[in-house]
Amino acid sequence: MLKTASRRENTISPLTNYVLNGGFIVLALACVLPVVLVIIVSFTHNDSLLSRGYSFFPAKWSLIAYESLFKDYGTILRAYGVSVGITAAGTVLSVLLMALYAYPISRQDYPLRPFFTFFLFFTMLFSGGIVSKYIVFTQGLGLLDNYLSLLLPLLIVPFNVIIMRTFFQTTIHPALIESARIDGAGELRIFVRIVLPLSLPVMATMALFSTILFWNDWFNALLFIRAEDKYPVQFLMIRVLNDIQYLRENVQLAAQNPEMMRNLPNESLQMAMAVVGMGPILIVYPFFQKYFVKGLTIGAVKG
Amino acid sequence: MDIKKKKRHIPALALVFAFASMLQACAGGSGNDKEASSPPASSAAPSSASASASAAPSESAAPSELAPYEVSIVYFGKPQPDDALVEAKLNAFFKEKINATVKLQPIASSDYKNRTELMMNTGEKMDLVFTASWLNFFGNVSKGAFVELDDLLAKYGQGIKDRLNPLYLEAPRMKGKLYAIPTNKEITQGKALTYRKDIVDKYQIPIDSINTMADLEPWMEKVKAGEPGIIPYYVAGGSGNFGGGFMMYETRGNYRPIGPAPAKTPMFLLDYKSSDEMKVKSVLDPEIADINKQEVGLFRSFYEKGYINADAATSTTTVNDLQKEGKIWVQAATWKPGADIEMKLATDSKYDYVSHVVEEPIVTTDLAAGSMFAISRTSKDPDRAMMVLNYLHTDPYVINLFVNGIEDKHYKKVGENRIEPVADSGYNPGTSWVVGNQLLNYLKPGQPDDLYTSWEKFNNDAKRFPLMGFVFDEANVKNEITQMTAVVTEYQSIFTGAVKNPEKLLDERNAKLKSAGIEKVQAELQKQIDAWRAENKK
């Protein structure tokens, strides 16, 4: 009787508390340890990798992977520049464009709302496939070897637009817009001065999504970029990994043409590339994180 | 009220559209200006070496008569930082000779197949395209991706014809018509056991008398006992190197693989010495099944005795990595003259290698069509493409510019025909086996002076497989092959030695292959071979 009184209303028992905390600690470790292992392997000497495999406590450390990675620092730096540039420009543009699309279709009083919602939704159900995409970008728009070919395909993500629309619908009360209008604000002013400031959480979330999307994108580079000096850093990495994979699967071909094998990086170098590739996104993450507290929903009704 | 609202939304929408059109506009602009920036031609005259190309009739057409044209070359090679410099040099040469420029489009190995198929499917303009039997060449021919080359070769490729072994031009044909020009290199490859030389010397291993895997047994034991830390025979089942499958038919009889190979495992074989009948046997045939059983049994015993790495079933470490560390004693490998040196160079020159060939080299369609250039259907000027290809096959200056880069920048000449590559020079594409005439490549450190003469001899001596020139059309048995591929993939690890009771599993696999329709495929294969024989009156 006394005991229960001393506890506050929503407290859980200490045991449950430990179990829950323990569970989350395990989860957290499961997320963090692989990353730590990648970092350690990137500093492991190739000898101990071959003899003992991956280990958190390698027998022999080595910086050689980073040395050989940065021996050709010009390429890496340039690729980094491309990635950072595309990501920065892409994020800003993407969030702006998606907000500009999401806001009108969130307004109940917009007559073309059903059309534009459907127009957006339709692209989620059907896509033209790679071939038509390739034709449009290379032959229609002539974007081969152009940075825009890395930017344009990812600017509007329909699903994210729907999340934003739902956010606008649920947080921005129509009365607010009504009163702003009565005070003499035009649509643009309402959007910029009232809607956007109130929507910071969703804007930040979308910015994070976009950042990750643009940073991780290598597929568009695979399709549209031919010039070595225009590759983003992720594509450089994925290409090295794919090349290794390819040669492993085509042992016979590789055996016939040893030249193909000569410059393949070993595993510590692959891991070093992964470390270099994930660096910036780890730094960006915390800046967005505080906005996640609120959470987002797309609601029960879609489309 | 309603109308008012409508109007007020216009700015937002207008902004979106204005933005989109703006992006498009500047996209078009920068796209064009890239096209226009072809480097200026006319610089240093090509070296005296180019005189050797004079045999080509294309010379007779004065450059001024030909309209300028850009020949794009799509090839299997990692893009290099100095590609543009090499391209400019090549352009200077071709501009003067045939008023053409070239556009180098290297594509890295892993992307090559997907990207080129995409380019073919979308009808992108290409001229010369690298292709090969292992890049679905014959499939692409039947889709109509390439131009017929017989006439073009006769007209503008006389130099190629003069230099290429005639066997080469038998392979890339479909219904009698030529669709690609093979790269001039070694036409076939034998299979060999390749050893680390210092260990062979240390234990005085008589490698010339080791002709089968079974012969290796006593020496495996010795090396295992005397050299801890060395894996006598390395198998990486997790990455497609399934040890036992690689050489079994070569060392146990005259059977050679033909036809479709689901999951890269040969299923159909032909005795190449009794060529009058051309009777196809499948792995269900008792004799073949017996060979299979002996081989997997042997590998199992090797594994149990520790001659094979313990993680043979799952390991994905490449053989090369382990060779660089000196951890492998013997490996089954392909062989051609100079293979040991190539292996040494490919593994950082730390160890010497020595090989003993255990299989008579045979020219098959697949091998002879292993590296070729075709002319794309989308080419606007196939004549010019053939002229460029002719130069790549006949002119030492051009082909060495392509594969080795620019003299004194990417390599130093140390002899008339010999070079020393400059380390980290920005151009090292490793394409000598990809393009043109490899026999005109400058020799690199370690390669013997007589490398190319021994290749020519090797090519001339190579035995012709009775089915050379035959291509199997899978169209009628696609489903069966898909099913067989699934079965083979499931049971692949029995060849690594790491699985218990491989003989029993082999029976199990063969039963499944039977129900997957292997006999139907065999019948189809036999039918096509018979038809092919009748056609070629053999």
Side-chain angles (χ1 to χ4, degrees):
Chain A
M1 191 72 173
L2 224 148
K3 221 175 175 182
T4 38
S6 74
R7 278 161 57 178
R8 277 183 290 150
E9 207 168 326
N10 285 328
T11 359
I12 49 173
S13 76
L15 181 67
T16 323
N17 197 16
Y18 286 130
V19 170
L20 282 179
N21 273 327
F24 280 111
I25 288 172
V26 170
L27 258 180
L29 283 180
C31 295
V32 171
L33 285 185
V35 180
V36 174
L37 184 62
V38 164
I39 295 173
I40 289 176
V41 171
S42 74
F43 284 105
T44 305
H45 197 277
N46 209 35
D47 278 350
S48 49
L49 266 185
L50 283 174
S51 54
R52 299 182 37 199
Y54 296 168
S55 159
F56 281 103
F57 307 100
K60 226 166 137 191
W61 298 85
S62 150
L63 274 173
I64 201 147
Y66 289 93
E67 271 169 31
S68 49
L69 192 60
F70 285 102
K71 197 166 64 181
D72 190 15
Y73 64 91
T75 311
I76 299 270
L77 281 185
R78 205 161 342 106
Y80 242 100
V82 173
S83 275
V84 170
I86 295 287
T87 305
T91 303
V92 172
L93 280 177
S94 170
V95 171
L96 184 69
L97 285 178
M98 289 200 293
L100 285 174
Y101 199 121
Y103 174 64
I105 60 173
S106 76
R107 290 270 301 264
Q108 299 292 337
D109 48 355
Y110 179 47
L112 290 177
R113 192 171 71 108
F115 170 75
F116 280 105
T117 310
F118 177 76
F119 187 69
L120 179 82
F121 191 60
F122 191 76
T123 62
M124 288 172 71
L125 301 177
F126 301 98
S127 81
I130 291 182
V131 171
S132 58
K133 181 177 175 185
Y134 187 80
I135 292 179
V136 166
F137 273 86
T138 57
Q139 286 161 31
L141 301 174
L143 289 182
L144 210 58
D145 264 346
N146 191 310
Y147 291 135
L148 281 176
S149 64
L150 300 180
L151 208 56
L152 290 180
L154 302 176
L155 277 183
I156 288 196
V157 181
F159 187 72
N160 289 353
V161 176
I162 288 176
I163 295 178
M164 284 177 111
R165 182 205 64 173
T166 314
F167 185 91
F168 289 142
Q169 267 172 0
T170 48
T171 39
I172 314 285
H173 200 278
L176 194 63
I177 295 166
E178 195 77 46
S179 62
R181 174 149 333 121
I182 291 167
D183 286 345
E187 287 293 355
L188 206 55
R189 184 183 288 260
I190 295 174
F191 179 68
V192 175
R193 303 295 290 274
I194 295 177
V195 177
L196 284 189
L198 284 172
S199 313
L200 271 183
V202 78
M203 301 301 272
T205 315
M206 290 307 141
L208 179 63
F209 285 178
S210 289
T211 311
I212 294 174
L213 189 67
F214 279 103
W215 184 261
N216 284 343
D217 175 56
W218 53 268
F219 190 69
N220 289 309
L222 167 75
L223 290 180
F224 304 123
I225 303 292
R226 302 272 166 79
E228 182 79 355
D229 55 354
K230 285 184 175 165
Y231 287 142
V233 72
Q234 305 294 347
F235 181 67
L236 278 185
M237 285 170 199
I238 206 94
R239 196 180 64 186
V240 168
L241 295 184
N242 283 346
D243 284 353
I244 292 169
Q245 185 69 25
Y246 183 80
L247 289 185
R248 277 184 186 155
E249 282 164 10
N250 295 278
V251 182
Q252 193 107 15
L253 175 70
Q256 283 165 22
N257 306 294
E259 258 182 289
M260 290 174 73
M261 296 293 272
R262 194 175 46 211
N263 293 321
L264 280 190
N266 52 41
E267 282 178 74
S268 54
L269 183 58
Q270 295 169 33
M271 296 301 172
M273 292 178 81
V275 171
V276 170
M278 72 187 168
I281 211 75
L282 289 182
I283 297 167
V284 172
Y285 221 91
F287 289 101
F288 290 106
Q289 203 155 20
K290 60 178 176 183
Y291 296 102
F292 280 149
V293 183
K294 285 210 169 181
L296 294 165
T297 57
I298 56 165
V301 186
K302 286 184 192 160
Chain B
M1 186 72 180
D2 249 341
I3 294 165
K4 230 179 173 183
K5 269 179 197 157
K6 252 188 229 170
K7 275 190 180 159
R8 293 202 173 167
H9 283 103
I10 288 171
L13 263 172
L15 230 148
V16 174
F17 285 121
F19 213 90
S21 54
M22 194 182 82
L23 282 169
Q24 257 181 37
C26 64
S30 42
N32 289 342
D33 103 339
K34 171 82 188 153
E35 297 265 302
S37 70
S38 64
S42 90
S43 66
S47 84
S48 58
S50 64
S52 65
S54 54
S58 55
E59 295 272 294
S60 58
S64 53
E65 291 166 18
L66 294 159
Y69 183 70
E70 184 184 73
V71 176
S72 63
I73 307 178
V74 179
Y75 60 98
F76 197 89
K78 199 171 169 203
Q80 300 291 311
D82 285 354
D83 276 340
L85 297 178
V86 172
E87 192 177 284
K89 278 264 187 192
L90 283 169
N91 284 342
F93 176 88
F94 283 120
K95 193 96 201 155
E96 185 188 313
K97 295 280 181 186
I98 51 173
N99 200 19
T101 51
V102 292
K103 185 168 172 56
L104 301 185
Q105 295 190 4
I107 301 177
S109 51
S110 53
D111 306 336
Y112 191 84
K113 191 156 186 264
N114 290 336
R115 209 188 265 197
T116 47
E117 302 232 313
L118 193 60
M119 288 159 86
M120 289 178 215
N121 290 341
T122 54
E124 193 167 316
K125 188 229 150 199
M126 299 185 279
D127 296 294
L128 292 168
V129 185
F130 176 77
T131 180
S133 49
W134 44 272
L135 286 171
N136 192 25
F137 166 71
F138 294 102
N140 287 326
V141 169
S142 57
K143 272 194 266 172
F146 304 130
V147 177
E148 262 180 62
L149 297 180
D150 283 301
D151 295 344
L152 282 176
L153 184 67
K155 250 167 124 179
Y156 304 107
Q158 207 53 49
I160 299 176
K161 246 184 158 169
D162 292 344
R163 284 160 189 260
L164 213 53
N165 190 316
L167 260 185
Y168 262 131
L169 295 174
E170 280 183 42
R173 286 182 185 271
M174 195 117 169
K175 303 211 166 80
K177 297 195 174 99
L178 184 72
Y179 286 96
I181 308 293
T183 300
N184 197 5
K185 51 187 198 101
E186 79 287 355
I187 197 167
T188 181
Q189 287 175 323
K191 284 185 178 167
L193 290 169
T194 300
Y195 305 82
R196 228 182 88 183
K197 191 164 181 296
D198 52 330
I199 298 184
V200 170
D201 292 345
K202 186 173 168 192
Y203 293 91
Q204 304 195 330
I205 301 168
I207 60 167
D208 288 338
S209 64
I210 298 177
N211 288 312
T212 66
M213 290 304 291
D215 294 346
L216 280 171
E217 171 113 42
W219 302 104
M220 291 265 197
E221 201 182 332
K222 276 219 166 115
V223 172
K224 164 93 180 142
E227 307 281 329
I230 279 193
I231 307 161
Y233 193 91
Y234 175 71
V235 175
S239 68
N241 161 18
F242 298 94
F246 188 60
M247 288 226 290
M248 79 178 109
Y249 304 112
E250 285 78 1
T251 57
R252 292 178 191 268
N254 292 324
Y255 290 106
R256 292 294 179 273
I258 49 169
K264 295 182 181 133
T265 305
M267 290 280 117
F268 305 98
L269 304 130
L270 184 79
D271 184 339
Y272 78 97
K273 286 201 168 148
S274 72
S275 54
D276 1 311
E277 270 191 75
M278 297 212 183
K279 189 131 181 50
V280 177
K281 288 192 172 178
S282 78
V283 290
L284 299 189
D285 184 273
E287 197 184 338
I288 305 286
D290 193 49
I291 291 179
N292 276 326
K293 270 186 195 164
Q294 285 178 31
E295 195 76 5
V296 294
L298 181 72
F299 263 75
R300 179 65 191 161
S301 77
F302 279 3
Y303 182 80
E304 278 169 341
K305 289 173 188 158
Y307 304 158
I308 292 174
N309 47 316
D311 58 354
T314 52
S315 171
T316 55
T317 309
T318 57
V319 179
N320 246 47
D321 267 351
L322 289 165
Q323 274 174 333
K324 279 183 197 169
E325 308 292 325
K327 287 197 190 306
I328 297 179
W329 168 53
V330 60
Q331 202 64 39
T334 54
W335 191 86
K336 62 192 167 195
D340 296 343
I341 286 144
E342 242 178 41
M343 174 98 79
K344 180 183 172 176
L345 294 177
T347 52
D348 292 353
S349 304
K350 281 191 207 140
Y351 299 94
D352 282 317
Y353 294 90
V354 54
S355 293
H356 172 61
V357 183
V358 295
E359 176 222 32
E360 187 182 17
I362 291 177
V363 191
T364 61
T365 312
D366 274 350
L367 274 175
S371 168
M372 313 184 288
F373 268 90
I375 297 180
S376 167
R377 180 63 71 190
T378 54
S379 169
K380 302 235 161 49
D381 192 348
D383 294 8
R384 207 78 62 90
M386 182 55 89
M387 290 179 208
V388 168
L389 193 60
N390 194 49
Y391 277 108
L392 287 168
H393 272 268
T394 53
D395 193 315
Y397 170 77
V398 175
I399 185 61
N400 279 297
L401 188 53
F402 202 119
V403 301
N404 291 321
I406 300 164
E407 188 173 349
D408 291 329
K409 181 163 174 61
H410 302 126
Y411 65 85
K412 294 245 183 301
K413 245 182 153 168
V414 292
E416 199 200 331
N417 218 8
R418 189 169 275 286
I419 56 162
E420 184 95 42
V422 174
D424 304 321
S425 66
Y427 195 79
N428 182 19
T431 48
S432 51
W433 61 277
V434 169
V435 66
N437 188 347
Q438 194 175 1
L439 308 182
L440 294 178
N441 284 186
Y442 294 139
L443 293 165
K444 293 198 180 139
Q447 291 181 325
D449 286 328
D450 63 349
L451 180 69
Y452 298 136
T453 46
S454 48
W455 274 12
E456 263 168 49
K457 187 174 171 328
F458 184 67
N459 285 354
N460 293 336
D461 293 351
K463 188 159 169 74
R464 192 176 189 285
F465 190 58
L467 283 178
M468 168 75 186
F470 168 75
V471 179
F472 183 61
D473 178 9
E474 299 185 350
N476 291 333
V477 287
K478 266 224 157 84
N479 288 335
E480 284 77 11
I481 291 176
T482 312
Q483 285 183 46
M484 281 166 66
T485 307
V487 175
V488 171
T489 312
E490 186 187 343
Y491 284 91
Q492 211 144 27
S493 56
I494 51 183
F495 288 100
T496 61
V499 204
K500 273 186 205 154
N501 280 328
E503 291 96 341
K504 205 179 121 235
L505 289 170
L506 204 61
D507 285 337
E508 217 175 287
R509 183 196 76 166
N510 288 352
K512 282 198 187 174
L513 281 175
K514 192 168 178 178
S515 53
I518 188 171
E519 281 157 345
K520 190 180 166 198
V521 182
Q522 186 180 355
E524 176 74 21
L525 184 57
Q526 186 73 59
K527 197 182 99 196
Q528 290 188 21
I529 288 178
D530 291 343
W532 177 81
R533 266 178 75 203
E535 215 172 277
N536 291 274
K537 53 188 181 322
K538 282 184 183 129

